[in-house]
Each structure stands twice: as C-alpha cells, then as structure tokens.
Short mmCIF file of all heavy atoms in Angstrom, two decimals:
data_model
loop_
_atom_site.label_atom_id
_atom_site.label_comp_id
_atom_site.label_asym_id
_atom_site.label_seq_id
_atom_site.Cartn_x
_atom_site.Cartn_y
_atom_site.Cartn_z
N MET A 1426 -13.68 -131.67 -24.79
CA MET A 1426 -14.18 -130.80 -25.87
C MET A 1426 -13.52 -131.30 -27.17
O MET A 1426 -12.32 -131.51 -27.25
CB MET A 1426 -13.78 -129.39 -25.61
CG MET A 1426 -14.23 -128.40 -26.69
SD MET A 1426 -14.10 -126.71 -26.16
CE MET A 1426 -12.56 -126.28 -26.95
N THR A 1427 -14.34 -131.52 -28.18
CA THR A 1427 -13.84 -132.01 -29.48
C THR A 1427 -13.64 -130.83 -30.39
O THR A 1427 -14.53 -130.01 -30.60
CB THR A 1427 -14.85 -132.97 -30.13
OG1 THR A 1427 -15.10 -134.02 -29.18
CG2 THR A 1427 -14.34 -133.53 -31.42
N MET A 1428 -12.50 -130.73 -30.98
CA MET A 1428 -12.19 -129.67 -31.94
C MET A 1428 -12.26 -130.25 -33.33
O MET A 1428 -11.78 -131.31 -33.61
CB MET A 1428 -10.77 -129.10 -31.71
CG MET A 1428 -10.63 -128.45 -30.33
SD MET A 1428 -11.53 -126.93 -30.19
CE MET A 1428 -10.66 -125.87 -31.30
N ASN A 1429 -12.92 -129.51 -34.22
CA ASN A 1429 -12.94 -129.94 -35.63
C ASN A 1429 -11.72 -129.44 -36.33
O ASN A 1429 -11.29 -128.32 -36.13
CB ASN A 1429 -14.18 -129.30 -36.32
CG ASN A 1429 -15.48 -129.88 -35.81
OD1 ASN A 1429 -15.53 -131.01 -35.34
ND2 ASN A 1429 -16.54 -129.10 -35.85
N PRO A 1430 -11.13 -130.28 -37.17
CA PRO A 1430 -9.96 -129.85 -37.95
C PRO A 1430 -10.45 -128.75 -38.87
O PRO A 1430 -11.59 -128.71 -39.30
CB PRO A 1430 -9.52 -131.12 -38.68
CG PRO A 1430 -10.64 -132.07 -38.60
CD PRO A 1430 -11.47 -131.70 -37.39
N PRO A 1431 -9.55 -127.82 -39.23
CA PRO A 1431 -9.94 -126.69 -40.10
C PRO A 1431 -10.60 -127.17 -41.41
O PRO A 1431 -11.53 -126.47 -41.88
CB PRO A 1431 -8.61 -125.98 -40.42
CG PRO A 1431 -7.70 -126.38 -39.30
CD PRO A 1431 -8.15 -127.74 -38.84
N GLU A 1432 -10.19 -128.28 -41.98
CA GLU A 1432 -10.77 -128.71 -43.22
C GLU A 1432 -12.24 -129.19 -43.06
O GLU A 1432 -12.99 -129.31 -43.98
CB GLU A 1432 -9.97 -129.78 -43.93
CG GLU A 1432 -9.77 -131.06 -43.14
CD GLU A 1432 -8.58 -131.01 -42.13
OE1 GLU A 1432 -7.94 -129.97 -42.05
OE2 GLU A 1432 -8.43 -132.00 -41.41
N ALA A 1433 -12.63 -129.43 -41.81
CA ALA A 1433 -14.02 -129.90 -41.52
C ALA A 1433 -14.99 -128.75 -41.42
O ALA A 1433 -16.21 -128.95 -41.43
CB ALA A 1433 -14.07 -130.75 -40.30
N LEU A 1434 -14.49 -127.53 -41.28
CA LEU A 1434 -15.36 -126.36 -41.17
C LEU A 1434 -15.87 -125.98 -42.53
O LEU A 1434 -15.19 -126.06 -43.55
CB LEU A 1434 -14.59 -125.18 -40.57
CG LEU A 1434 -14.08 -125.34 -39.16
CD1 LEU A 1434 -13.23 -124.17 -38.72
CD2 LEU A 1434 -15.28 -125.46 -38.19
N PRO A 1435 -17.12 -125.50 -42.60
CA PRO A 1435 -17.64 -125.02 -43.86
C PRO A 1435 -16.80 -123.85 -44.38
O PRO A 1435 -16.26 -123.09 -43.59
CB PRO A 1435 -19.07 -124.58 -43.55
CG PRO A 1435 -19.26 -124.75 -42.13
CD PRO A 1435 -18.05 -125.34 -41.54
N GLU A 1436 -16.79 -123.68 -45.70
CA GLU A 1436 -15.98 -122.62 -46.24
C GLU A 1436 -16.47 -121.25 -45.78
O GLU A 1436 -15.65 -120.36 -45.51
CB GLU A 1436 -15.99 -122.71 -47.79
CG GLU A 1436 -14.88 -121.96 -48.43
CD GLU A 1436 -14.73 -122.30 -49.86
OE1 GLU A 1436 -14.64 -123.50 -50.17
OE2 GLU A 1436 -14.74 -121.40 -50.68
N ASN A 1437 -17.75 -121.07 -45.68
CA ASN A 1437 -18.31 -119.82 -45.19
C ASN A 1437 -18.82 -120.05 -43.75
O ASN A 1437 -19.97 -120.44 -43.58
CB ASN A 1437 -19.44 -119.33 -46.10
CG ASN A 1437 -20.02 -118.00 -45.63
OD1 ASN A 1437 -19.50 -117.37 -44.71
ND2 ASN A 1437 -21.12 -117.60 -46.22
N HIS A 1438 -17.98 -119.85 -42.79
CA HIS A 1438 -18.38 -120.06 -41.40
C HIS A 1438 -18.75 -118.76 -40.69
O HIS A 1438 -18.59 -118.65 -39.49
CB HIS A 1438 -17.32 -120.86 -40.66
CG HIS A 1438 -15.96 -120.18 -40.63
ND1 HIS A 1438 -15.11 -120.29 -41.66
CD2 HIS A 1438 -15.38 -119.41 -39.71
CE1 HIS A 1438 -14.00 -119.57 -41.39
NE2 HIS A 1438 -14.14 -119.02 -40.22
N ASP A 1439 -19.19 -117.78 -41.45
CA ASP A 1439 -19.62 -116.52 -40.91
C ASP A 1439 -21.08 -116.65 -40.49
O ASP A 1439 -22.00 -116.34 -41.22
CB ASP A 1439 -19.45 -115.39 -41.97
CG ASP A 1439 -19.77 -114.02 -41.45
OD1 ASP A 1439 -19.82 -113.85 -40.22
OD2 ASP A 1439 -19.95 -113.11 -42.30
N SER A 1440 -21.29 -117.18 -39.28
CA SER A 1440 -22.67 -117.44 -38.83
C SER A 1440 -23.36 -116.16 -38.40
O SER A 1440 -22.72 -115.21 -37.92
CB SER A 1440 -22.66 -118.49 -37.73
OG SER A 1440 -21.85 -118.06 -36.65
N GLN A 1441 -24.68 -116.20 -38.49
CA GLN A 1441 -25.49 -115.07 -38.12
C GLN A 1441 -25.38 -114.88 -36.57
O GLN A 1441 -25.49 -115.84 -35.82
CB GLN A 1441 -26.92 -115.27 -38.50
CG GLN A 1441 -27.83 -114.15 -38.14
CD GLN A 1441 -29.27 -114.34 -38.66
OE1 GLN A 1441 -29.53 -115.28 -39.37
NE2 GLN A 1441 -30.17 -113.46 -38.26
N PRO A 1442 -25.22 -113.61 -36.15
CA PRO A 1442 -25.16 -113.36 -34.70
C PRO A 1442 -26.53 -113.77 -34.03
O PRO A 1442 -27.55 -113.65 -34.66
CB PRO A 1442 -25.00 -111.84 -34.60
CG PRO A 1442 -24.50 -111.40 -35.94
CD PRO A 1442 -25.00 -112.40 -36.93
N GLN A 1443 -26.41 -114.21 -32.83
CA GLN A 1443 -27.59 -114.59 -32.08
C GLN A 1443 -27.96 -113.52 -31.03
O GLN A 1443 -27.09 -112.97 -30.40
CB GLN A 1443 -27.34 -115.91 -31.34
CG GLN A 1443 -27.04 -117.09 -32.28
CD GLN A 1443 -28.18 -117.38 -33.20
OE1 GLN A 1443 -29.31 -117.57 -32.72
NE2 GLN A 1443 -27.94 -117.39 -34.51
N ALA A 1444 -29.25 -113.23 -30.98
CA ALA A 1444 -29.73 -112.20 -30.04
C ALA A 1444 -29.48 -112.66 -28.60
O ALA A 1444 -29.61 -113.86 -28.30
CB ALA A 1444 -31.22 -111.95 -30.26
N PRO A 1445 -29.15 -111.69 -27.73
CA PRO A 1445 -29.04 -112.10 -26.32
C PRO A 1445 -30.38 -112.44 -25.76
O PRO A 1445 -31.45 -112.01 -26.26
CB PRO A 1445 -28.49 -110.79 -25.65
CG PRO A 1445 -28.91 -109.69 -26.56
CD PRO A 1445 -28.94 -110.28 -27.93
N ILE A 1446 -30.38 -113.23 -24.73
CA ILE A 1446 -31.60 -113.63 -24.06
C ILE A 1446 -31.98 -112.62 -23.01
O ILE A 1446 -31.18 -112.28 -22.10
CB ILE A 1446 -31.47 -115.04 -23.43
CG1 ILE A 1446 -31.17 -116.04 -24.54
CG2 ILE A 1446 -32.68 -115.45 -22.66
CD1 ILE A 1446 -30.76 -117.42 -24.05
N GLU A 1447 -33.20 -112.07 -23.09
CA GLU A 1447 -33.64 -111.09 -22.14
C GLU A 1447 -33.85 -111.78 -20.76
O GLU A 1447 -34.57 -112.76 -20.67
CB GLU A 1447 -34.96 -110.45 -22.60
CG GLU A 1447 -35.45 -109.34 -21.68
CD GLU A 1447 -36.65 -108.65 -22.22
OE1 GLU A 1447 -37.18 -109.03 -23.23
OE2 GLU A 1447 -37.07 -107.65 -21.59
N PRO A 1448 -33.27 -111.20 -19.71
CA PRO A 1448 -33.48 -111.79 -18.39
C PRO A 1448 -34.89 -111.61 -17.91
O PRO A 1448 -35.52 -110.53 -18.27
CB PRO A 1448 -32.46 -111.08 -17.51
CG PRO A 1448 -32.13 -109.83 -18.25
CD PRO A 1448 -32.37 -110.05 -19.68
N PRO A 1449 -35.42 -112.49 -17.13
CA PRO A 1449 -36.73 -112.32 -16.56
C PRO A 1449 -36.75 -111.17 -15.57
O PRO A 1449 -35.71 -110.85 -14.96
CB PRO A 1449 -37.07 -113.65 -15.90
CG PRO A 1449 -35.73 -114.26 -15.64
CD PRO A 1449 -34.81 -113.74 -16.73
N LEU A 1450 -37.88 -110.52 -15.34
CA LEU A 1450 -37.98 -109.40 -14.42
C LEU A 1450 -37.45 -109.76 -13.04
O LEU A 1450 -36.83 -108.96 -12.34
CB LEU A 1450 -39.41 -108.89 -14.31
CG LEU A 1450 -39.92 -108.18 -15.57
CD1 LEU A 1450 -41.40 -107.79 -15.41
CD2 LEU A 1450 -39.09 -106.97 -15.90
N GLU A 1451 -37.75 -110.97 -12.61
CA GLU A 1451 -37.31 -111.40 -11.25
C GLU A 1451 -35.81 -111.61 -11.15
O GLU A 1451 -35.29 -111.83 -10.05
CB GLU A 1451 -38.07 -112.63 -10.77
CG GLU A 1451 -37.94 -113.85 -11.67
CD GLU A 1451 -38.95 -113.93 -12.81
OE1 GLU A 1451 -39.77 -112.96 -13.03
OE2 GLU A 1451 -38.96 -114.93 -13.49
N ALA A 1452 -35.08 -111.53 -12.22
CA ALA A 1452 -33.64 -111.64 -12.18
C ALA A 1452 -32.96 -110.41 -11.58
O ALA A 1452 -31.85 -110.47 -11.08
CB ALA A 1452 -33.03 -111.91 -13.59
N CYS A 1453 -33.65 -109.30 -11.54
CA CYS A 1453 -33.14 -108.06 -10.97
C CYS A 1453 -33.31 -108.09 -9.42
O CYS A 1453 -34.42 -108.44 -8.94
CB CYS A 1453 -33.89 -106.83 -11.55
SG CYS A 1453 -33.33 -105.24 -10.86
N CYS A 1454 -32.29 -107.71 -8.71
CA CYS A 1454 -32.34 -107.80 -7.24
C CYS A 1454 -32.94 -106.50 -6.68
O CYS A 1454 -33.15 -106.42 -5.47
CB CYS A 1454 -30.97 -108.02 -6.68
SG CYS A 1454 -29.80 -106.71 -7.00
N ASN A 1455 -33.15 -105.46 -7.53
CA ASN A 1455 -33.77 -104.19 -7.10
C ASN A 1455 -32.97 -103.51 -6.00
O ASN A 1455 -33.51 -102.74 -5.17
CB ASN A 1455 -35.21 -104.35 -6.61
CG ASN A 1455 -36.13 -104.79 -7.74
OD1 ASN A 1455 -36.14 -104.12 -8.79
ND2 ASN A 1455 -36.82 -105.89 -7.56
N SER A 1456 -31.66 -103.70 -5.96
CA SER A 1456 -30.79 -103.03 -4.93
C SER A 1456 -30.03 -101.87 -5.55
O SER A 1456 -29.24 -101.25 -4.84
CB SER A 1456 -29.85 -104.04 -4.33
OG SER A 1456 -28.89 -104.44 -5.28
N GLY A 1457 -30.24 -101.57 -6.82
CA GLY A 1457 -29.56 -100.44 -7.46
C GLY A 1457 -28.14 -100.75 -7.84
O GLY A 1457 -27.33 -99.86 -7.97
N CYS A 1458 -27.79 -102.00 -7.94
CA CYS A 1458 -26.41 -102.38 -8.22
C CYS A 1458 -26.05 -101.92 -9.63
O CYS A 1458 -26.89 -101.72 -10.50
CB CYS A 1458 -26.19 -103.89 -8.05
SG CYS A 1458 -27.22 -104.92 -9.10
N TYR A 1459 -24.73 -101.77 -9.83
CA TYR A 1459 -24.22 -101.32 -11.14
C TYR A 1459 -23.13 -102.30 -11.52
O TYR A 1459 -22.21 -102.51 -10.74
CB TYR A 1459 -23.69 -99.90 -11.13
CG TYR A 1459 -23.18 -99.51 -12.47
CD1 TYR A 1459 -24.10 -99.08 -13.47
CD2 TYR A 1459 -21.84 -99.57 -12.80
CE1 TYR A 1459 -23.64 -98.75 -14.70
CE2 TYR A 1459 -21.39 -99.24 -14.07
CZ TYR A 1459 -22.28 -98.81 -14.99
OH TYR A 1459 -21.86 -98.49 -16.24
N PRO A 1460 -23.22 -102.86 -12.72
CA PRO A 1460 -24.32 -102.71 -13.63
C PRO A 1460 -25.48 -103.63 -13.30
O PRO A 1460 -25.24 -104.77 -12.91
CB PRO A 1460 -23.69 -103.07 -14.99
CG PRO A 1460 -22.64 -104.08 -14.64
CD PRO A 1460 -22.13 -103.65 -13.29
N CYS A 1461 -26.65 -103.11 -13.51
CA CYS A 1461 -27.82 -103.94 -13.34
C CYS A 1461 -27.86 -104.99 -14.49
O CYS A 1461 -27.35 -104.73 -15.59
CB CYS A 1461 -29.08 -103.07 -13.41
SG CYS A 1461 -30.65 -103.99 -13.38
N ILE A 1462 -28.46 -106.13 -14.22
CA ILE A 1462 -28.54 -107.16 -15.22
C ILE A 1462 -29.26 -106.65 -16.53
O ILE A 1462 -28.96 -107.05 -17.60
CB ILE A 1462 -29.25 -108.39 -14.67
CG1 ILE A 1462 -29.09 -109.60 -15.61
CG2 ILE A 1462 -30.69 -108.13 -14.32
CD1 ILE A 1462 -29.49 -110.92 -15.03
N PHE A 1463 -30.16 -105.66 -16.31
CA PHE A 1463 -30.86 -105.12 -17.46
C PHE A 1463 -29.98 -104.11 -18.23
O PHE A 1463 -30.16 -103.94 -19.42
CB PHE A 1463 -32.22 -104.55 -17.07
CG PHE A 1463 -33.20 -105.57 -16.66
CD1 PHE A 1463 -33.52 -105.77 -15.34
CD2 PHE A 1463 -33.74 -106.43 -17.62
CE1 PHE A 1463 -34.40 -106.80 -15.01
CE2 PHE A 1463 -34.64 -107.44 -17.28
CZ PHE A 1463 -34.96 -107.62 -15.98
N ASP A 1464 -29.06 -103.44 -17.54
CA ASP A 1464 -28.08 -102.60 -18.22
C ASP A 1464 -27.19 -103.45 -19.12
O ASP A 1464 -26.90 -103.12 -20.26
CB ASP A 1464 -27.21 -101.88 -17.22
CG ASP A 1464 -28.00 -100.81 -16.38
OD1 ASP A 1464 -29.07 -100.35 -16.87
OD2 ASP A 1464 -27.59 -100.58 -15.24
N VAL A 1465 -26.76 -104.57 -18.55
CA VAL A 1465 -25.90 -105.50 -19.32
C VAL A 1465 -26.66 -106.03 -20.56
O VAL A 1465 -26.13 -106.06 -21.68
CB VAL A 1465 -25.43 -106.68 -18.44
CG1 VAL A 1465 -24.71 -107.72 -19.25
CG2 VAL A 1465 -24.57 -106.16 -17.33
N TYR A 1466 -27.94 -106.39 -20.35
CA TYR A 1466 -28.74 -106.90 -21.47
C TYR A 1466 -28.86 -105.82 -22.54
O TYR A 1466 -28.76 -106.10 -23.73
CB TYR A 1466 -30.15 -107.32 -20.97
CG TYR A 1466 -31.08 -107.62 -22.10
CD1 TYR A 1466 -30.92 -108.76 -22.90
CD2 TYR A 1466 -32.17 -106.78 -22.38
CE1 TYR A 1466 -31.79 -109.01 -23.95
CE2 TYR A 1466 -33.01 -107.02 -23.42
CZ TYR A 1466 -32.84 -108.13 -24.22
OH TYR A 1466 -33.68 -108.39 -25.26
N THR A 1467 -29.15 -104.56 -22.12
CA THR A 1467 -29.31 -103.50 -23.08
C THR A 1467 -28.03 -103.27 -23.92
O THR A 1467 -28.07 -103.11 -25.15
CB THR A 1467 -29.69 -102.14 -22.36
OG1 THR A 1467 -30.93 -102.33 -21.69
CG2 THR A 1467 -29.79 -100.97 -23.36
N GLU A 1468 -26.86 -103.36 -23.27
CA GLU A 1468 -25.61 -103.19 -23.96
C GLU A 1468 -25.41 -104.38 -24.95
O GLU A 1468 -24.97 -104.18 -26.10
CB GLU A 1468 -24.43 -103.13 -22.98
CG GLU A 1468 -24.40 -101.84 -22.22
CD GLU A 1468 -23.33 -101.83 -21.11
OE1 GLU A 1468 -22.51 -102.78 -21.06
OE2 GLU A 1468 -23.33 -100.87 -20.28
N GLU A 1469 -25.70 -105.58 -24.50
CA GLU A 1469 -25.58 -106.78 -25.36
C GLU A 1469 -26.54 -106.66 -26.58
O GLU A 1469 -26.16 -107.03 -27.66
CB GLU A 1469 -25.87 -108.03 -24.58
CG GLU A 1469 -24.82 -108.37 -23.58
CD GLU A 1469 -25.16 -109.59 -22.71
OE1 GLU A 1469 -26.35 -110.04 -22.75
OE2 GLU A 1469 -24.27 -110.08 -22.04
N LEU A 1470 -27.72 -106.16 -26.35
CA LEU A 1470 -28.70 -105.96 -27.44
C LEU A 1470 -28.24 -104.96 -28.44
O LEU A 1470 -28.32 -105.17 -29.66
CB LEU A 1470 -30.04 -105.62 -26.86
CG LEU A 1470 -31.22 -105.56 -27.84
CD1 LEU A 1470 -31.44 -106.89 -28.47
CD2 LEU A 1470 -32.49 -105.10 -27.06
N GLN A 1471 -27.64 -103.84 -28.02
CA GLN A 1471 -27.12 -102.83 -28.90
C GLN A 1471 -25.98 -103.42 -29.71
O GLN A 1471 -25.89 -103.23 -30.93
CB GLN A 1471 -26.65 -101.61 -28.10
CG GLN A 1471 -27.75 -100.81 -27.55
CD GLN A 1471 -27.25 -99.68 -26.64
OE1 GLN A 1471 -26.12 -99.70 -26.18
NE2 GLN A 1471 -28.13 -98.75 -26.39
N GLN A 1472 -25.10 -104.20 -29.08
CA GLN A 1472 -24.00 -104.82 -29.80
C GLN A 1472 -24.49 -105.86 -30.80
O GLN A 1472 -24.00 -105.95 -31.90
CB GLN A 1472 -22.97 -105.46 -28.84
CG GLN A 1472 -21.74 -106.00 -29.53
CD GLN A 1472 -20.96 -104.92 -30.19
OE1 GLN A 1472 -20.66 -103.88 -29.59
NE2 GLN A 1472 -20.61 -105.11 -31.49
N TYR A 1473 -25.51 -106.64 -30.41
CA TYR A 1473 -26.11 -107.57 -31.29
C TYR A 1473 -26.64 -106.90 -32.56
O TYR A 1473 -26.43 -107.38 -33.68
CB TYR A 1473 -27.24 -108.34 -30.62
CG TYR A 1473 -28.19 -109.03 -31.56
CD1 TYR A 1473 -27.81 -110.15 -32.27
CD2 TYR A 1473 -29.44 -108.51 -31.74
CE1 TYR A 1473 -28.68 -110.79 -33.15
CE2 TYR A 1473 -30.36 -109.12 -32.64
CZ TYR A 1473 -29.96 -110.25 -33.32
OH TYR A 1473 -30.82 -110.85 -34.24
N ARG A 1474 -27.33 -105.80 -32.40
CA ARG A 1474 -27.88 -105.07 -33.53
C ARG A 1474 -26.80 -104.57 -34.47
O ARG A 1474 -26.95 -104.68 -35.71
CB ARG A 1474 -28.79 -103.94 -33.08
CG ARG A 1474 -30.06 -104.43 -32.47
CD ARG A 1474 -30.90 -103.33 -31.92
NE ARG A 1474 -32.18 -103.82 -31.43
CZ ARG A 1474 -32.96 -103.24 -30.54
NH1 ARG A 1474 -32.57 -102.08 -30.04
NH2 ARG A 1474 -34.08 -103.77 -30.19
N LEU A 1475 -25.67 -104.09 -33.94
CA LEU A 1475 -24.59 -103.67 -34.75
C LEU A 1475 -23.95 -104.85 -35.48
O LEU A 1475 -23.65 -104.79 -36.65
CB LEU A 1475 -23.49 -102.98 -33.88
CG LEU A 1475 -23.89 -101.65 -33.28
CD1 LEU A 1475 -22.81 -101.20 -32.27
CD2 LEU A 1475 -24.11 -100.60 -34.34
N ASP A 1476 -23.73 -105.95 -34.72
CA ASP A 1476 -23.17 -107.18 -35.33
C ASP A 1476 -24.06 -107.74 -36.42
O ASP A 1476 -23.58 -108.17 -37.46
CB ASP A 1476 -22.95 -108.23 -34.26
CG ASP A 1476 -21.87 -107.86 -33.26
OD1 ASP A 1476 -21.09 -106.90 -33.50
OD2 ASP A 1476 -21.83 -108.51 -32.18
N LEU A 1477 -25.40 -107.71 -36.17
CA LEU A 1477 -26.33 -108.22 -37.16
C LEU A 1477 -26.31 -107.39 -38.44
O LEU A 1477 -26.27 -107.91 -39.55
CB LEU A 1477 -27.73 -108.27 -36.57
CG LEU A 1477 -28.83 -108.79 -37.53
CD1 LEU A 1477 -28.55 -110.26 -37.91
CD2 LEU A 1477 -30.19 -108.73 -36.87
N ALA A 1478 -26.26 -106.06 -38.30
CA ALA A 1478 -26.22 -105.16 -39.50
C ALA A 1478 -24.91 -105.42 -40.25
O ALA A 1478 -24.93 -105.48 -41.48
CB ALA A 1478 -26.30 -103.71 -39.03
N ALA A 1479 -23.82 -105.62 -39.56
CA ALA A 1479 -22.54 -105.84 -40.22
C ALA A 1479 -22.59 -107.23 -40.94
O ALA A 1479 -22.11 -107.36 -42.02
CB ALA A 1479 -21.39 -105.81 -39.23
N TRP A 1480 -23.16 -108.21 -40.27
CA TRP A 1480 -23.28 -109.53 -40.85
C TRP A 1480 -24.14 -109.48 -42.11
O TRP A 1480 -23.77 -110.10 -43.13
CB TRP A 1480 -23.86 -110.52 -39.82
CG TRP A 1480 -24.04 -111.88 -40.38
CD1 TRP A 1480 -23.10 -112.85 -40.46
CD2 TRP A 1480 -25.30 -112.46 -40.90
NE1 TRP A 1480 -23.65 -114.01 -40.99
CE2 TRP A 1480 -24.97 -113.77 -41.28
CE3 TRP A 1480 -26.54 -111.97 -41.07
CZ2 TRP A 1480 -25.94 -114.59 -41.82
CZ3 TRP A 1480 -27.52 -112.80 -41.62
CH2 TRP A 1480 -27.15 -114.11 -42.00
N GLN A 1481 -25.30 -108.77 -42.05
CA GLN A 1481 -26.16 -108.65 -43.18
C GLN A 1481 -25.45 -107.98 -44.34
O GLN A 1481 -25.59 -108.39 -45.51
CB GLN A 1481 -27.42 -107.89 -42.82
CG GLN A 1481 -28.36 -108.72 -41.94
CD GLN A 1481 -29.54 -107.91 -41.46
OE1 GLN A 1481 -29.46 -106.74 -41.25
NE2 GLN A 1481 -30.66 -108.62 -41.26
N ALA A 1482 -24.64 -106.99 -44.07
CA ALA A 1482 -23.86 -106.30 -45.09
C ALA A 1482 -22.90 -107.25 -45.73
O ALA A 1482 -22.70 -107.28 -46.96
CB ALA A 1482 -23.16 -105.09 -44.53
N ARG A 1483 -22.23 -108.09 -44.93
CA ARG A 1483 -21.28 -109.09 -45.49
C ARG A 1483 -21.99 -110.12 -46.33
O ARG A 1483 -21.43 -110.70 -47.24
CB ARG A 1483 -20.52 -109.78 -44.33
CG ARG A 1483 -19.54 -108.93 -43.66
CD ARG A 1483 -18.62 -109.73 -42.76
NE ARG A 1483 -19.29 -110.53 -41.76
CZ ARG A 1483 -19.67 -110.18 -40.53
NH1 ARG A 1483 -19.42 -108.90 -40.17
NH2 ARG A 1483 -20.29 -110.98 -39.73
N GLN A 1484 -23.27 -110.37 -46.03
CA GLN A 1484 -24.05 -111.34 -46.83
C GLN A 1484 -24.61 -110.74 -48.11
O GLN A 1484 -25.34 -111.43 -48.82
CB GLN A 1484 -25.22 -111.92 -45.94
CG GLN A 1484 -24.74 -112.57 -44.65
CD GLN A 1484 -23.71 -113.66 -44.84
OE1 GLN A 1484 -23.93 -114.57 -45.65
NE2 GLN A 1484 -22.63 -113.59 -44.11
N GLY A 1485 -24.32 -109.49 -48.34
CA GLY A 1485 -24.80 -108.84 -49.55
C GLY A 1485 -26.26 -108.40 -49.48
O GLY A 1485 -26.90 -108.26 -50.48
N GLY A 1486 -26.74 -108.23 -48.25
CA GLY A 1486 -28.11 -107.77 -48.13
C GLY A 1486 -29.14 -108.82 -48.39
O GLY A 1486 -30.33 -108.53 -48.35
N ALA A 1487 -28.71 -110.03 -48.67
CA ALA A 1487 -29.66 -111.09 -48.98
C ALA A 1487 -30.19 -111.79 -47.74
O ALA A 1487 -31.05 -112.67 -47.80
CB ALA A 1487 -29.01 -112.13 -49.85
N ALA A 1488 -29.70 -111.41 -46.56
CA ALA A 1488 -30.11 -112.05 -45.31
C ALA A 1488 -31.51 -111.61 -44.92
O ALA A 1488 -31.97 -110.55 -45.32
CB ALA A 1488 -29.12 -111.68 -44.20
N ALA A 1489 -32.16 -112.48 -44.18
CA ALA A 1489 -33.51 -112.19 -43.72
C ALA A 1489 -33.48 -110.97 -42.79
O ALA A 1489 -32.52 -110.67 -42.17
CB ALA A 1489 -34.05 -113.40 -42.97
N ALA A 1490 -34.60 -110.32 -42.75
CA ALA A 1490 -34.72 -109.14 -41.88
C ALA A 1490 -34.63 -109.57 -40.44
O ALA A 1490 -35.08 -110.72 -40.11
CB ALA A 1490 -36.08 -108.46 -42.12
N PRO A 1491 -34.06 -108.78 -39.55
CA PRO A 1491 -33.91 -109.19 -38.17
C PRO A 1491 -35.27 -109.27 -37.50
O PRO A 1491 -36.17 -108.59 -37.88
CB PRO A 1491 -33.07 -108.03 -37.54
CG PRO A 1491 -33.31 -106.85 -38.43
CD PRO A 1491 -33.57 -107.44 -39.82
N GLU A 1492 -35.31 -110.12 -36.50
CA GLU A 1492 -36.52 -110.29 -35.73
C GLU A 1492 -36.74 -108.95 -34.98
O GLU A 1492 -35.83 -108.23 -34.75
CB GLU A 1492 -36.42 -111.48 -34.76
CG GLU A 1492 -35.15 -111.37 -33.91
CD GLU A 1492 -34.80 -112.71 -33.25
OE1 GLU A 1492 -34.42 -113.59 -33.99
OE2 GLU A 1492 -34.90 -112.74 -32.05
N SER A 1493 -37.99 -108.72 -34.63
CA SER A 1493 -38.23 -107.43 -33.95
C SER A 1493 -37.86 -107.50 -32.53
O SER A 1493 -38.59 -108.00 -31.67
CB SER A 1493 -39.72 -107.08 -34.12
OG SER A 1493 -40.50 -108.12 -33.58
N ILE A 1494 -36.69 -106.96 -32.23
CA ILE A 1494 -36.20 -106.95 -30.86
C ILE A 1494 -36.00 -105.52 -30.51
O ILE A 1494 -35.52 -104.71 -31.20
CB ILE A 1494 -34.86 -107.70 -30.68
CG1 ILE A 1494 -35.12 -109.18 -30.83
CG2 ILE A 1494 -34.22 -107.41 -29.38
CD1 ILE A 1494 -33.94 -110.03 -30.68
#
C-alpha cells in the first residue's frame, strides 16, 4: 500500500460521501437472521444521508443535490 505524504494531499480533502451499494434481493438468505443484510443497508443509507447533508453544509450549500436514493 502506497501512502501519500501529507503535502501531496489536496488542501481541501473533504470528499463527498459515497452512497452504499444496495445488495441484490438474492443476497438475503431468508432465514430471519439479525441483522439482515437489508437492515445493514438501511442503516448505512441513513448514515450516508446524514453525512451527505453535513458535507453539503460544509461546502456552503453549493454542492449538487443528492441523487434520489
């Protein structure tokens, strides 16, 4: 793994959060396990939305509108 020296990083390295990837329906085993893969996805999606709103606020509201998720 190559590490970039601190001076090689951009001054504003506050990157936009990335949406979690929705698992395919067949990823669920249908055994009622907890947490279900879809429960985990829902939690990740909620956190992403919070992170995105905070990121947009830090960007001064000039960021693009979030994709419809």
Side-chain angles (χ1 to χ4, degrees):
M1426 181 167 99
T1427 304
M1428 297 291 291
N1429 292 331
E1432 60 276 359
L1434 295 174
E1436 199 165 306
N1437 180 8
H1438 59 277
D1439 185 15
S1440 57
Q1441 181 175 353
Q1443 298 298 306
I1446 298 171
E1447 183 174 6
L1450 291 176
E1451 58 272 6
C1453 178
C1454 65
N1455 294 308
S1456 68
C1458 59
Y1459 181 80
C1461 174
I1462 191 168
F1463 290 107
D1464 295 333
V1465 172
Y1466 170 71
T1467 299
E1468 290 175 9
E1469 289 175 349
L1470 187 58
Q1471 289 173 343
Q1472 186 61 51
Y1473 161 73
R1474 289 176 175 158
L1475 293 171
D1476 293 345
L1477 181 62
W1480 178 82
Q1481 287 174 328
R1483 288 192 306 272
Q1484 303 304 310
E1492 53 197 67
S1493 58
I1494 291 183

